[in-house]
Structure formats: structure tokens, C-alpha cells
Amino acid sequence: MQVSPSEDKIPVGGAPSSPQASGDGLYFCDGQRKVDYVLVFHHRRHGSLRSPAMVSQDQLSIVSNGNFPPPAGSDAAAGRGGGIRREEAASVGEVFMELGIARGSEPTEAAEHEMHLIRQEFEANLLEAGLEVERDRETKIHGPSFTRIHAPWPVLCREAEFLKIKVPTKQSYELKEESGFGSRMSTVWRKLKLPFQPNVPHQDQGSTKFLSHCFSRDKLHMYNITSKDTFFDNTTRGRIVYEILRRTVCVRTCQTIGISTLIAKGVYDAAFPLHDGDYKVTGHLEERNDRQVLFEEWARYSAFYKYQPIDLVRKYFGEKIGLYFAWLGVYTQLLIPASIVGIIVFGYGVATVDTNIPSLEMCDEHLNFTMCPLCDGACDYWHLSTACGTARASHLFDNPATVFFAIFMSLWAVLFLEQWKRRQISLSFSWDLTGIEEDEEQPRPKYETILLQKQQRTQKKKKKKKKKNEPEKQEDGTVTGKDRWRQKLLSAMAAGVPTVFEKLTWKDRLTGYFMNISSILFMLGLTFSAVFGVIIYRITISALMAMSPDPEIKSNVRVTVTATAVIINLVVILILDEIYGAVALWLTELEIPKTESNFEERLILKAFLLKFMNAYAPIFYVAFFKGRFAGRPGSYVYVFNDYRMEECAPGGCLIELCIQLSIIMLGKQLIQNNIFEIGIPKLKKLIRALKEKEPSQKVKDEERRPQQWNLDYALVPFEGLTPEYMEMIIQFGFVSLFVASFPLAPLFALLNNVIEIRLDARKFVTELRRPVAARAKDIGIWYNILSGMGKLSVIINAFVISFTSDLIPRLVYQYMYSPTGTMNGFIDHTLSFFNVSNFKTGTAPHNSDHGDVTVCRYKDYREPPWSPDAYQFSKQYWCVLSARLAFVILFQNLVMFLSLMVAWIIPDVPKTIVQQLKREKKLLVNLFLQEEKEKLQLIQSLFVKDATLQPKSQSPTPGQAFPILGRYSTLPSGPVAGDGGGPRVRCRAASFSQFTEKISSLPRKENANSKHTAV
């Protein structure tokens, strides 16, 4: 294998040579150049140091950039590295590393050798791109080896201009402050918030803001560059290096583009930027780095009452992660008023439970409502007063205030989305994200691999087809006549066929689409099967407990069965959640998305669909299906011909819906937060550390302090924000979709999020590797999902109030059927009669303790047995059904109208941001015009200086004059006539470089038709 000229400059670093480098582990061995990025691979064989005379053909000479200790007498050559010239290589010293099977060495595996060659070519290409690379000097048999990368100032400037990174200029302006009453209120509000603000240095920049502009190497004088090492912060430097790594190619050893492809192929194990040192504060508070500030003021549980330092989070982790925590903060803050209203609604239910007439009637033993048996044969008749506790508990959540709370929460969801849009615009303005362009994305590694396989298959087919179509030759090998023209035509046609496919077509993805559809349908069927299995459990356990001779067990059948079934549902949901996450990832890979953004969007949609159905299917069943298809006494609906379909409690299904929602919501949050987000990452980290730490390596590691790249490599890799968003989106569904049945849901969500923010913050600061900063203007597809769930919540809450609760039947009875216009007699009105002689054989109670019962009651609107239409739906049923449907239509249209009004009243872009954007644009224009004016004044001074150097014979006549260059001047093509007789011609503005040439190149003759324009 031949080596390119740039491959002889891969540097090899030794031990740190300065206290700064050894103490922080953030610099190269010279202690001056920052480590902007780290590549990690597992070293599995020895390197060797040899003299140049001992190098064989299978070895490569790698020239140090000054970090490797040079031989004696070459100290001067080993100063600063990175910019070493080829002819100076001999004075620096050479390191010879075995690439192939050298003489006397053991044979290495072909795969390891190939990966070594790929790494060598890739790092050589990084050097050609201007980066500086440093490797570990020591050789290892096993364990990770680190390649450190530094981006010098010219590379940073070039890439910052290419990526259009906005940087602050020297120009600043004062932000306009409110006046009058608004100003006083803002001042009071700032003072009230002061104890809740984090102690972050340089957080409050006052009323001054610096203008920002896309970086340009031609305008370095406009930027406040105090130090080239700190002008671009570590986040920006890491992003710039990642962009170079992302587009660097390996052509000779493998047809790949970017570091992601190499990691997928196993050439490298990991690639990541470094954290800013340890997160624990060891010195003075004033000397804290950004990571330590984030840990002290953001990631500690004791800081739960403080605002988040969002600007510092964005500075350290990038805009994408900053937007997530900003969104989570807005969501948590708006849960405070929702929680207060929910507590008030719950308090109203507690205060009115003793005066609620339906509950009092159910608890009145003197009314003596004898109810029909709950099961066939073994179950006895029972009195309605035994369900008194359930009726009282149901009123806590099923009261007139529930309607108000459902309307409030629907408007709250709209207000939350509008508030987030305004907050997002404000952050985009303060973070200089306005007007940024979408970054061009490279294809994913798997997409490239499958595309390459397709190309290879097509080329093989072409070769076979070409062999079949080759013309027959004569004995002497010549092609004659018709065959000659045929050969030319085939070669021309082959030349016209492109050899590279730009993209994969739907035919290439057809198998993946089929697997997606079939797998998703199977998973949905699995979810419904799990729900049905729990239904069977409830039915069988209810029948078994009803047959128990213990009266205490009989009286607690519903509560016991409901609680245990919900716990089973919770366990099933948690298990299926993990399965569905892995399945969604597998299905998305089968679709072969081209870019990471396409992959992420498709993954989110699949995971959300599966997890949404998994989390809410049991709740949907209780809310809308339970008890609807149970039948009536004498004509029940049976499952497997033996078990009756379960019915709602006498107080309605709303209390069971409340129990179901509360246990699933609280259990899911507590278990996922405490076990999945804390325990599992720590367990993975422990297992990984045990696997990678060899016994022979422990002694070496104890003798020296680990560098920052060793510490960061031991952390958990960052795998995206999808799990974090998904958890909050599912919680948002619990808060908004079924909030009419559980007014305390916003309160529990608020308490969870207060912990969740600090938990996620601690995970990002201490448990995860530092992610590459990614620019983002919004939260992407998650906003569309939130908007859709907000609209769906209006419909679901309308159906919950009208069909699941007893609000509509109560209103219909009070205003249509009540003799006194009150709720007295409501329970008797909702209970129908059944003649026990109409029981089917074997379904009546075998042994009854209630004596001779001729008629029992059941909850439904049906005609009595003495009616000509016995057991048919009564007029009251159709009246209540009409009222329920009318309420759904009225509620939905009212809430939708109010939501549109709220969205129309609240502007998406705050007025202050609009004014500041206009002002910044005007100031930028003035700044560039001022720069142009200074440039033209400099050009004028050159003209004047040149005129003074001219001989007197060539001095301008009184009729001639040099132009007076003004602010809006354009440059003339020659001297301007003073009389101004010719027409005015506006000439194109020339660049400054054109006037640095010799003055002799300018025209000397007077042009009567040209005149300089001065304003």
C-alpha cells in the first residue's frame, strides 16, 4: 500500500509535559493546545520504535508534530508542532509503527490490520483538513487508545465562516425598557424573582446587547477578539471539529464518509468532545468552570426551587438540549396554575360530599334498594347501601366543578402551546438563531452501506449482460461489419448509464414498509390482548371473591379487583414500553432513512404510536367500554360462555377511571424515574467498567491520575432526547386527555417534573458524555404531537363528562323528571326493575340470605317487567342519550372557539422582539455603511498620497479635481470633470484590493462622459 504525502505527519504524543496539561487533561502534551475532540479505538497489538534503517516495506514512517520526545541534539526542532514542514522531518525524529506483517512480529488478524489502515488514512485526511492530531505514545495489548484532535485558529475561522456561525461584534446597543406602570411592575417582579435566580457568573448582562453577525474572515476587525483561544467557546470548537469529522472521507481503504460510518463499522469505538474538567468544585467559587457551575446551580436537588440557567445550558450543551430544558421549564411553570385549580376542584368535592343528595340516597339504608346479583349462581342479592363508600368517593371527582375544570384544562393546553411559541421566539432571538439555515446532513452509515451494495449488484448484472452481448470475433480476433457498429452502440449506451445512484427508491424499501405495517399491527394486537387478559382476570377474580363466605371480602370486591388489575396493567405497560422502544428502533432501521433527522422523525412517530396505545388502552377501556356491553339481568353477555362481562360500579365508572389513571400515572413516573433513569445507567456503567478494566491495567491506573478523556470515555454515551421528550409527552396526555376524571393529575405532574428537571440535569452533567452541540430553532415534530394531543383532549374530555360521569343524567332528571326540581329521587329514577322469575335456569342465586325476593334492581334506563315493552330501552334512555350527544357537540365547539380566541389574542412573536429585530437590522446596516465609509476614506487618502508623489507636469489642471468620497459614494472609472457637463453614471463599487495595485494601472485620460457621484 502506498502512502499519501500527508500520511507521514500523524503525530504521536507522550506523557504530559506541563502541569496544566497533567492537571486538567484538557490540552495536548505541550500544555497549550486544547483538546477539542477525542477519537477512541481499542488497541490490540504492539507498536515498535525502530531506527530508519530497520524499516521494512510493511512499515510506515510517522513524523511527530513536536509532541514526541526528539532525539538528542534536536531540542529546537521539537518546540511547537502542527506546522512542521516536510524537509524538517529528519530533524524532528521519526516513529515507525508496524502496519503490516513486519519481520519477526506475530501475524495480526486481517480485520484489525484493515481497521488500522482505515484509521491511518482517516487521520491523515484530518491533517490535510488543517486539524492537529495527537495519539497516545504508549503501546497497549488491550484497552482503549485515544486520538486527540485540536483545531487551530485558521481552521476555526474557515469552518465558522462556512457554517455561518453568528458571533458578537463590537457594536452594542441599549435595550429599551418599559416606562410607567409596566416598568414598575417589571422591577417589582425582578425583585421577587431574585431569590430564585441561580448564581451564574455573567448571567445578568443588564440592558446592553451586542450585535451578532455571521462570522467572516474579512471582518475580523469588527469582532471583539481578546484571545484567539477563547473567542470560540469549547462548544463551538467541538461542533466545528465534528463537522470536519462528519465530511472527511476514506477513499483508498474503504468507501466511507464521516466518523459516524467508521464508528458503525467498528473502526472507532467512540468520538466525543471533552467535558470542561471535573464537575466537583475543588478551588474558589470564582474559578469554577461551566460544568461545575451547572452542577452546583442546576444539577443539585437542593436547587429545585431555582430557575434553570438556560443560557448556560445552551452554551455548554448546544441549542437542541437547551430548547428541551427550556420547554420542560415552561411546561412545569404552567402546571402551577393548573395544579391550584385542580386542588380547588377537588376541595369543592370534599366540601360538598356531605350535602350531595345522590350519595346520601345511596347510603340511606331505609330506602332498601335490593340489587340483582353480581354473578350467576354463587352471588346473592345485595343492598345498594353497601356501596356507600364508592358513591362518596365518586363525588370527589364527579361534581359540577368537573365541567369547569375540563374547559379550563383545554384552554390551558392552548395557552401552554402559545406561551411556548413566544418563549421559543425569545430564545431564538437571544441565542442568535433567527435566520439560520438548516445544516446539510450527510447520509446515515446504513444508508450508504445499502446503497453501495445496490451499486455492486447492479455492476455485476451489467458485467454479465456485457459478456452476453459481446460480438463474435473472427479467428484473427477482429470485429467486422455489423458487429463493429453494434459494439460501438453498446459502449455508447454503457457510457450514458450513471454508475452512482443518488438515492434508494421505494422498491428498495418495500420489504421494510411491509415489515413496518405488519409489525405495528401485531404490536397493537398485543396491546389489546394484554388489556383483554386483564379483563378476564377482573371477571374471574370478581366471581371467586363473590363466592367467598367472608362478608368483608364480599364488600371489598370492586376495590380489591380494581387495584390489583391496575397494578398488573402497570407492570405490563412498563415491560411493553421497553419492548416497543426497541421494536420502533428496529422498524425504523428497516425503512433505511437517508439522514439522521428523517430517522429521528420516523422513530418518534412509531415509538409514540406504540407507547400511546400501550399507556392509554386500559384507560380507554374503563372510560368508554366497560359496562357498555354487559347486557341486563336475564340476558347478560358472556365471555367464553362462562364469564359475564363486568359492569360499572353503582356510582359509575368514573371512580374506577380515576383509580386506573392515578396508579398508572404515579407508578409509571416513580418507577421510570427511580429505576430506569437512575439505576439502569449506573448498572450499565459498572458492567462496562468491569469489562474494560484488565487486571494488569489496574496497577498502572492507580499509579497515575486519569486524564479527562479517560474519565469521559467511562461515561454513558448520549443517545438523543427522544426518551426524555417521550416521557413528558405521555405525562402531558395524562394531564390533558383524562383530566376530567382526576383533577389532581396536574399536581402530581408538577411534583414529578420538579424532580425530573434536576434528575435530567444531573444525568447530563455527571453521567453522560458531552454531546455534540446541535443547532435547532424549535423542538421539531414534538410540537405537532403536543398540538394534536391538545385538540384530542377536547374531544376525549367531552365524552368523559357526558358518557362516563353521571353529570348529564343528573341535569336531565333535575330539569325534566324531578317533581320538585331537586335531586331527590335521582337514584330510584336511574334503577330499573327485574322480575327474578325471568332469570335463566342456573343463574339465580342458589342460597339467598334476603328471604323471598321477587324484584331486584339494576342500573339502566329500561322498561319494567309489567310494561308491554318489558326490558326495552325507555324514553328516559333516549332523552339522556340525546342530551349527552348535544353536550359533546356544545362542549367541543365552545372550547374550540375559545381556544382559537386565545391563540388569536396572544401573538406568536412578542412585540419587544419585533422591535428589537428591526432595530438590530438597522444598526447592522449602519455598521456596514460606516465600515464602507472608512474604507472609501482610506482609498481617498491613497489617491491624495499618490497625487502628491506625481510630477508637477502630471498634476491635475484647475479644471480637474479628485473626487470627494462620501458615505454613499461609488467609485469612478477615472478622474472626474469639474464642470460636470457629462451625464451622471453610477459605477459599480470596487473592492479595496483593486486599489492596492500600482496607480499606473488606472486610466489617465479624462473621460468627459463620466462623473463621480457624491452624496
Side-chain angles (χ1 to χ4, degrees):
M1 172 183 169
Q2 295 185 1
V3 181
S4 65
S6 62
E7 290 179 9
D8 60 347
K9 291 187 177 182
I10 300 178
V12 179
S17 59
S18 69
Q20 185 183 16
S22 60
D24 294 337
L26 302 174
Y27 294 85
F28 274 19
C29 292
D30 56 10
Q32 298 178 359
R33 290 172 291 175
K34 285 185 178 179
V35 177
D36 296 320
Y37 223 88
V38 174
L39 308 180
V40 188
F41 62 93
H42 271 77
H43 198 97
R44 304 185 188 281
R45 59 186 177 79
H46 288 283
S48 61
L49 298 177
R50 304 190 180 196
S51 63
M54 296 176 60
V55 182
S56 67
Q57 293 181 354
D58 295 322
Q59 294 173 331
L60 173 66
S61 173
I62 302 175
V63 180
S64 170
N65 67 343
N67 296 321
F68 189 81
S74 60
D75 295 339
R80 288 294 304 271
I84 214 165
R85 294 195 301 269
R86 199 178 308 278
E87 51 270 14
E88 297 176 357
S91 64
V92 177
E94 294 183 347
V95 180
F96 298 96
M97 300 188 68
E98 298 177 0
L99 296 181
I101 302 176
R103 292 173 301 205
S105 65
E106 296 182 359
T108 60
E109 296 181 2
E112 291 295 329
H113 175 60
E114 180 184 359
M115 290 183 182
H116 183 82
L117 296 180
I118 295 173
R119 284 194 295 268
Q120 185 241 348
E121 181 191 357
F122 183 73
E123 293 171 11
N125 291 337
L126 294 181
L127 289 176
E128 288 185 356
L131 298 178
E132 297 178 5
V133 182
E134 180 185 72
R135 281 183 180 172
D136 286 340
R137 175 190 173 188
E138 62 180 22
T139 58
K140 300 178 180 179
I141 300 177
H142 293 288
S145 292
F146 299 91
T147 300
R148 297 170 288 279
I149 299 175
H150 168 76
W153 173 254
V155 175
L156 294 174
C157 294
R158 181 192 72 205
E159 296 298 322
E161 184 174 358
F162 174 72
L163 296 174
K164 298 182 180 179
I165 295 176
K166 285 191 174 182
V167 294
T169 62
K170 296 179 181 178
Q171 183 71 27
S172 63
Y173 68 95
E174 296 292 328
L175 299 175
K176 289 185 178 181
E177 296 184 356
E178 297 179 2
S179 58
F181 180 74
S183 176
R184 291 193 295 270
M185 291 300 297
S186 299
T187 304
V188 172
W189 181 242
R190 280 197 297 269
K191 290 182 179 179
L192 291 176
K193 292 195 303 181
L194 193 60
F196 306 101
Q197 295 293 341
N199 184 19
V200 177
H202 313 294
Q203 184 186 23
D204 188 9
Q205 299 178 355
S207 58
T208 304
K209 188 178 188 301
F210 287 89
L211 292 177
S212 297
H213 186 258
C214 294
F215 185 84
S216 175
R217 286 172 288 180
D218 298 333
K219 295 179 173 58
L220 291 178
H221 58 281
M222 293 175 53
Y223 312 124
N224 188 15
I225 305 176
T226 57
S227 172
K228 293 182 179 180
D229 294 332
T230 58
F231 180 71
F232 294 106
D233 56 22
N234 293 340
T235 305
T236 306
R237 296 173 70 100
R239 178 172 164 239
I240 287 175
V241 174
Y242 173 74
E243 289 295 327
I244 299 176
L245 294 173
R246 186 175 62 85
R247 65 173 187 262
T248 302
V249 300
C250 287
V251 180
R252 292 182 294 109
T253 54
C254 62
Q255 299 292 330
T256 57
I257 301 177
I259 187 63
S260 300
T261 309
L262 296 180
I263 293 177
K265 290 187 174 185
V267 178
Y268 289 99
D269 291 339
F272 51 88
L274 291 180
H275 279 291
D276 292 353
D278 193 9
Y279 61 85
K280 295 181 180 178
V281 180
T282 55
H284 299 286
L285 292 179
E286 294 78 9
E287 300 176 355
R288 296 181 298 177
N289 58 43
D290 288 345
R291 191 185 186 192
Q292 292 170 346
V293 173
L294 287 174
F295 178 75
E296 292 291 329
E297 303 295 332
W298 182 50
R300 297 174 68 93
Y301 293 108
S302 58
F304 71 94
Y305 63 93
K306 293 185 178 181
Y307 287 97
Q308 297 184 86
I310 293 297
D311 291 333
L312 186 59
V313 174
R314 172 253 179 180
K315 176 186 174 185
Y316 193 81
F317 293 109
E319 288 80 5
K320 194 169 185 179
I321 296 176
L323 282 175
Y324 163 71
F325 281 102
W327 171 83
L328 185 55
V330 171
Y331 172 48
T332 304
Q333 289 177 8
L334 287 181
L335 281 174
I336 296 176
S339 302
I340 295 174
V341 177
I343 294 173
I344 293 174
V345 171
F346 181 75
Y348 172 81
V350 173
T352 59
V353 67
D354 292 330
T355 59
N356 183 43
I357 295 177
S359 299
L360 295 176
E361 289 184 351
M362 288 186 64
C363 296
D364 190 356
E365 297 181 0
H366 300 290
L367 293 178
N368 195 22
F369 293 114
T370 301
M371 306 299 293
C372 296
L374 297 175
C375 63
D376 294 341
C379 297
D380 195 2
Y381 304 103
W382 58 284
H383 289 297
L384 185 60
S385 58
T386 58
C388 176
T390 305
R392 291 174 61 87
S394 179
H395 178 73
L396 300 178
F397 306 99
D398 186 6
N399 53 67
T402 305
V403 180
F404 162 75
F405 188 61
I407 296 175
F408 171 80
M409 289 303 297
S410 299
L411 297 179
W412 173 87
V414 178
L415 184 65
F416 162 58
L417 294 177
E418 292 297 321
Q419 176 66 18
W420 167 243
K421 282 196 289 187
R422 291 171 61 86
R423 174 65 169 159
Q424 192 171 256
I425 293 294
S426 301
L427 291 176
S428 297
F429 172 74
S430 61
W431 293 350
D432 298 322
L433 298 176
T434 54
I436 66 169
E437 299 178 359
E438 295 292 337
D439 296 334
E440 182 182 357
E441 293 189 76
Q442 294 291 339
R444 299 181 66 249
K446 186 170 183 179
Y447 181 89
E448 287 185 334
T449 303
I450 295 177
L451 189 62
L452 182 61
Q453 293 174 357
K454 180 179 179 180
Q455 294 174 8
Q456 293 173 350
R457 290 195 303 267
T458 307
Q459 290 174 359
K460 289 181 180 179
K461 292 180 181 179
K462 285 182 181 179
K463 289 180 180 179
K464 292 181 181 179
K465 191 174 181 180
K466 186 176 181 181
K467 290 180 179 179
K468 291 180 180 179
N469 294 331
E470 280 185 354
E472 295 182 0
K473 298 183 180 181
Q474 296 182 353
E475 294 181 357
D476 56 355
T478 60
V479 182
T480 60
K482 182 179 178 180
D483 290 336
R484 183 185 295 113
W485 290 104
R486 183 185 177 192
Q487 185 179 18
K488 290 182 179 180
L489 181 61
L490 290 173
S491 61
M493 290 173 62
V497 177
T499 57
V500 178
F501 294 90
E502 294 184 358
K503 61 181 181 179
L504 297 177
T505 62
W506 64 270
K507 296 180 181 179
D508 302 311
R509 298 184 172 97
L510 187 60
T511 305
Y513 292 153
F514 176 76
M515 288 294 298
N516 268 264
I517 295 173
S518 57
S519 299
I520 289 176
L521 292 177
F522 173 77
M523 292 300 164
L524 295 180
L526 180 62
T527 301
F528 295 142
S529 300
V531 174
F532 184 72
V534 176
I535 293 172
I536 299 300
Y537 164 81
R538 294 161 66 109
I539 294 172
T540 53
I541 297 300
S542 298
L544 292 175
M545 293 184 67
M547 290 186 292
S548 174
D550 191 352
E552 296 247 345
I553 296 178
K554 282 187 176 182
S555 61
N556 296 321
V557 169
R558 291 190 181 275
V559 176
T560 305
V561 171
T562 300
T564 55
V566 171
I567 293 174
I568 295 174
N569 267 327
L570 175 62
V571 174
V572 172
I573 286 172
L574 293 176
I575 294 174
L576 290 182
D577 252 359
E578 299 301 315
I579 296 175
Y580 287 166
V583 169
L585 182 63
W586 173 66
L587 293 177
T588 309
E589 290 285 359
L590 291 180
E591 288 189 44
I592 324 173
K594 184 175 181 180
T595 61
E596 286 294 338
S597 61
N598 291 337
F599 178 85
E600 185 178 4
E601 288 184 359
R602 298 184 184 191
L603 175 62
I604 288 170
L605 288 176
K606 291 181 186 61
F608 173 73
L609 174 62
L610 294 174
K611 294 190 175 186
F612 180 88
M613 294 302 299
N614 181 42
Y616 299 120
I619 302 175
F620 269 99
Y621 164 73
V622 175
F624 303 121
F625 297 100
K626 184 178 179 181
R628 310 292 175 189
F629 312 101
R632 61 171 178 82
S635 182
Y636 284 114
V637 177
Y638 290 88
V639 180
F640 304 129
N641 297 322
D642 291 323
Y643 300 103
R644 273 170 45 183
M645 285 294 293
E646 55 183 345
E647 304 174 61
C648 289
C653 280
L654 195 70
I655 184 62
E656 295 187 39
L657 178 61
C658 175
I659 295 173
Q660 185 101 4
L661 181 65
S662 59
I663 293 180
I664 291 179
M665 178 182 177
L666 298 178
K668 197 170 185 298
Q669 290 179 350
L670 291 176
I671 294 176
Q672 283 188 338
N673 286 349
N674 295 326
I675 297 179
F676 292 168
E677 293 197 17
I678 298 177
I680 292 181
K682 290 184 178 294
L683 184 62
K684 288 182 179 179
K685 182 180 176 182
L686 178 62
I687 294 175
R688 183 179 173 187
L690 293 175
K691 284 183 178 180
E692 294 182 351
K693 203 170 185 67
E694 297 292 333
S696 59
Q697 196 78 9
K698 291 182 179 179
V699 180
K700 294 182 179 180
D701 290 343
E702 292 175 357
E703 293 177 355
R704 62 181 184 181
R705 181 181 177 183
Q707 298 294 331
Q708 188 63 43
W709 46 83
N710 297 97
L711 298 175
D712 285 5
Y713 180 63
L715 300 178
V716 180
F718 174 68
E719 297 179 353
L721 291 169
T722 300
E724 315 299 334
Y725 273 114
M726 189 66 69
E727 181 184 350
M728 290 295 104
I729 294 296
I730 297 297
Q731 184 203 84
F732 180 79
F734 286 127
V735 170
S736 60
L737 294 182
F738 297 93
V739 73
S741 64
F742 188 43
L744 296 180
L747 175 64
F748 289 111
L750 173 64
L751 297 177
N752 173 80
N753 288 5
V754 170
I755 302 173
E756 179 74 17
I757 290 176
R758 307 304 162 180
L759 181 66
D760 286 345
R762 194 177 189 89
K763 182 171 64 175
F764 273 88
V765 174
T766 64
E767 300 290 338
L768 298 180
R769 294 176 191 162
R770 188 172 187 172
V772 180
R775 284 195 303 184
K777 295 186 291 186
D778 48 42
I779 59 175
I781 196 174
W782 295 110
Y783 181 84
N784 299 329
I785 294 176
L786 285 169
S787 179
M789 293 184 71
K791 293 179 174 61
L792 183 62
S793 68
V794 177
I795 302 173
I796 291 181
N797 281 308
F799 277 93
V800 167
I801 293 173
S802 60
F803 285 91
T804 309
S805 74
D806 283 338
L807 177 69
I808 303 301
R810 290 171 186 169
L811 294 177
V812 170
Y813 173 77
Q814 183 175 1
Y815 294 104
M816 292 186 65
Y817 296 102
S818 175
T820 60
T822 63
M823 293 301 297
N824 291 315
F826 172 73
I827 297 299
D828 184 57
H829 177 75
T830 58
L831 297 178
S832 299
F833 293 89
F834 179 75
N835 192 339
V836 296
S837 62
N838 294 331
F839 273 122
K840 291 182 180 180
T841 305
T843 59
H846 300 317
N847 297 313
S848 177
D849 297 334
H850 291 76
D852 188 13
V853 177
T854 58
V855 176
C856 64
R857 309 292 294 271
Y858 62 99
K859 187 174 182 179
D860 206 345
Y861 291 99
R862 292 182 182 268
E863 296 289 344
W866 53 82
S867 173
D869 299 325
Y871 306 126
Q872 297 298 317
F873 288 119
S874 63
K875 293 180 181 179
Q876 290 87 345
Y877 171 82
W878 299 109
C879 185
V880 170
L881 180 62
S882 301
R884 282 173 166 169
L885 294 176
F887 176 83
V888 169
I889 297 173
L890 177 63
F891 182 89
Q892 178 181 343
N893 286 279
L894 175 63
V895 174
M896 288 295 184
F897 173 75
L898 293 177
S899 301
L900 292 175
M901 288 292 295
V902 170
W904 177 73
I905 291 173
I906 301 177
D908 293 344
V909 183
K911 185 178 179 181
T912 55
I913 299 298
V914 175
Q915 295 175 351
Q916 291 177 9
L917 284 173
K918 292 180 179 179
R919 190 179 181 191
E920 279 201 359
K921 187 179 294 185
K922 182 179 179 181
L923 291 174
L924 277 175
V925 171
N926 292 337
L927 179 64
F928 290 131
L929 289 176
Q930 180 66 27
E931 182 192 7
E932 188 71 17
K933 178 181 177 181
E934 294 175 357
K935 185 189 297 184
L936 294 176
Q937 288 177 351
L938 178 61
I939 295 171
Q940 180 184 3
S941 65
L942 291 176
F943 272 115
V944 175
K945 183 178 180 181
D946 182 74
T948 56
L949 297 177
Q950 294 279 344
K952 291 184 178 181
S953 59
Q954 298 182 5
S955 60
T957 61
Q960 294 177 333
F962 287 103
I964 302 174
L965 300 178
R967 181 172 181 178
Y968 300 99
S969 303
T970 55
L971 298 176
S973 58
V976 181
D979 55 3
R984 296 178 62 167
V985 178
R986 182 175 294 274
C987 304
R988 183 177 61 86
S991 63
F992 177 73
S993 60
Q994 292 175 338
F995 292 90
T996 58
E997 301 175 359
K998 294 181 179 180
I999 198 66
S1000 60
S1001 62
L1002 294 173
R1004 295 296 181 185
K1005 294 183 180 181
E1006 178 182 356
N1007 186 358
N1009 294 327
S1010 65
K1011 181 178 181 180
H1012 177 71
T1013 303
V1015 179

